[in-house]
Amino acid sequence: MRAPRGQERAITGNRQTSWAFADAYGAENVQHAERSEHSAALRWARDRAREAGLRAVSDGTGAALRLLAAAVDAKAVAEIGTGTGVSGIHLLHGMRPDGVLTTVDTEPECQQIARQAFRAAGFAANRARFIPGRALDVLPRLADGGYDLVFCDGDRMECLEYLGESLRLLRPGGLVCFEGVFADGRTVDSSSQPAEVLRLRELLRTVRDSTSLLPSLLPVGDGLLCAVKRDH
């Protein structure tokens, strides 16, 4: 039975409020001393991102990345799109103490900022490997099946190629995650959309229909598409 329109609006409003609450729930917390340096480093990295005109992952997305990295007991993570290090701090926080983050970006200047942010967050230098360059040039050089999680926050036009590389890089049971799949609401907008949004729609269909992946779309930040590589 179809609900009245007024109730539909109330449900929509409640969902929006709930999603906003869920996203804010992962906000950096300085109440615990062991988290204070992480929080200060995250705030600093976010400030640098704003200055550079970059959009860092939201608090909710960061919390999800921490959780996912911990859930797979990640020792090796590959990141496409270093930015100023916000997502990297979250990933490292969830990884094993001996885990190594391999992070790729076309901007060496941003990687230098991220390196400072990681150090300020208390992570040893050997916890991160910075590789400057285009992801599709770098990823083929990384080891097959050598990664527990691959986080993709790069060029949307290359997202399907990232997926193909991720399937090669991940061990069975590993996770691939794509940030920004909502594209500020344009992915579900029926009006004419640019090529990058059409590419994201193709990514969503491909992941959903793949027999090699077990997917979920998390409504945090600008949309976090996650999928487990099945053990066939």
Side-chain angles (χ1 to χ4, degrees), residues 64-78:
L65 292 175
R66 291 198 311 268
L67 173 70
L68 294 169
V72 297
D73 195 27
K75 184 175 182 179
V77 173

Side-chain angles (χ1 to χ4, degrees), residues 45-57 82-85 105 107 109-111 113:
R46 286 190 187 282
D47 289 342
R48 303 292 81 74
R50 281 191 290 269
E51 291 170 1
L54 302 173
R55 183 160 71 176
V57 299
T82 308
T84 57
D105 202 288
E107 300 294 336
E109 297 84 0
C110 286
Q111 291 194 320
I113 294 171

Side-chain angles (χ1 to χ4, degrees), residues 168-185:
R168 181 184 61 80
L169 293 173
L170 286 171
R171 62 165 173 81
L175 272 166
V176 59
C177 302
F178 289 86
E179 157 66 3
V181 295
F182 289 166
D184 294 317

Side-chain angles (χ1 to χ4, degrees), residues 185-193 201:
R186 291 177 296 166
T187 302
V188 296
D189 191 332
S190 60
S191 62
S192 179
Q193 296 296 335
R201 290 176 181 170

Side-chain angles (χ1 to χ4, degrees), residues 142-196:
L142 303 183
D144 293 7
Y147 293 83
D148 305 296
L149 190 154
V150 178
F151 174 58
C152 306
D153 189 13
D155 187 341
R156 287 171 173 168
M157 291 301 295
E158 297 179 345
C159 60
L160 286 168
E161 288 80 6
Y162 297 161
L163 176 61
E165 287 294 331
S166 297
L167 287 173
R168 181 184 61 80
L169 293 173
L170 286 171
R171 62 165 173 81
L175 272 166
V176 59
C177 302
F178 289 86
E179 157 66 3
V181 295
F182 289 166
D184 294 317
R186 291 177 296 166
T187 302
V188 296
D189 191 332
S190 60
S191 62
S192 179
Q193 296 296 335
E196 67 172 24

Side-chain angles (χ1 to χ4, degrees), residues 1-41:
M1 182 175 178
R2 187 169 176 80
R5 291 185 181 277
Q7 290 186 29
E8 286 178 351
R9 283 196 294 270
I11 290 170
T12 300
N14 288 339
R15 283 178 177 171
Q16 290 173 340
T17 301
S18 297
W19 290 341
F21 175 77
D23 210 43
Y25 184 77
E28 294 97 41
N29 187 338
V30 296
Q31 294 178 356
H32 302 289
E34 67 271 18
R35 296 180 182 173
S36 62
E37 61 184 4
H38 289 272
S39 299

Side-chain angles (χ1 to χ4, degrees), residues 35-154:
R35 296 180 182 173
S36 62
E37 61 184 4
H38 289 272
S39 299
L42 281 166
R43 288 194 298 272
W44 183 85
R46 286 190 187 282
D47 289 342
R48 303 292 81 74
R50 281 191 290 269
E51 291 170 1
L54 302 173
R55 183 160 71 176
V57 299
S58 73
D59 294 326
T61 301
L65 292 175
R66 291 198 311 268
L67 173 70
L68 294 169
V72 297
D73 195 27
K75 184 175 182 179
V77 173
E79 177 184 48
I80 301 169
T82 308
T84 57
V86 175
S87 54
I89 290 174
H90 285 295
L91 287 165
L92 284 165
H93 188 51
M95 294 169 64
R96 290 169 45 167
D98 59 344
V100 176
L101 172 69
T102 298
T103 182
V104 182
D105 202 288
T106 56
E107 300 294 336
E109 297 84 0
C110 286
Q111 291 194 320
Q112 282 300 108
I113 294 171
R115 194 187 301 271
Q116 294 177 52
F118 292 173
R119 184 166 59 247
F123 296 113
N126 62 0
R127 292 292 310 280
R129 178 170 60 148
F130 295 89
I131 305 179
R134 182 170 170 264
L136 295 182
D137 294 331
V138 174
L139 296 178
R141 306 202 302 264
L142 303 183
D144 293 7
Y147 293 83
D148 305 296
L149 190 154
V150 178
F151 174 58
C152 306
D153 189 13

Side-chain angles (χ1 to χ4, degrees), residues 197-216:
V197 175
L198 301 181
R199 196 74 164 165
L200 286 174
R201 290 176 181 170
E202 189 177 356
L203 171 70
L204 286 161
R205 287 192 298 268
T206 301
V207 170
R208 181 192 61 199
D209 297 340
S210 172
T211 59
S212 300
L213 296 168
L214 183 65
S216 182

